């Protein structure tokens, strides 16, 4: 199933809940990662890294974002 919006995640979560009961937190986290990956692809993000205090993005040349943003 393709995730393109938060509404898609809600639908998938509802389907999982109907079939299997409340999904564990790890499943909910995975659904969130699916949405983040989708947005990263749309924005031309090549790499996403995080630490305890920061998040770094590396963009491809095709990103629709300008360097000032």
């Amino acid at each position: 199933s393709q995730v393109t919006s938060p509404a898609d995640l809600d639908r998938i979560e509802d389907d999982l809940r109907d079939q299997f009961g409340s999904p564990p937190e790890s499943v909910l986290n995975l659904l969130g990662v699916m949405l983040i990956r989708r947005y990263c692809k749309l924005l031309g993000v090549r790499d996403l890294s995080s630490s305890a205090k920061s998040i770094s993005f590396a963009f491809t040349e095709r990103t629709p974002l300008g360097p000032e943003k």
Side-chain angles (χ1 to χ4, degrees):
S1 181
Q2 187 173 5
V3 175
T4 60
S5 71
D8 292 338
L9 286 181
D10 292 340
R11 181 184 44 76
I12 292 169
E13 183 180 345
D14 289 344
D15 290 346
L16 289 172
R17 193 175 307 279
D18 288 345
Q19 291 182 31
F20 305 108
S22 293
E25 186 175 344
S26 59
V27 171
L28 298 176
N29 290 341
L30 181 59
L31 293 174
V33 168
M34 291 169 62
L35 187 60
I36 291 169
R37 287 177 53 102
R38 172 69 177 164
Y39 285 130
C40 284
K41 185 176 181 178
L42 291 173
L43 294 173
V45 174
R46 178 175 41 89
D47 184 54
L48 171 65
S49 303
S50 66
S51 68
K53 295 183 180 183
S54 68
I55 297 175
S56 299
F57 296 90
F59 294 91
T60 64
E61 298 79 29
R62 65 175 186 79
T63 184
L65 302 174
E68 68 281 352
K69 295 187 181 201

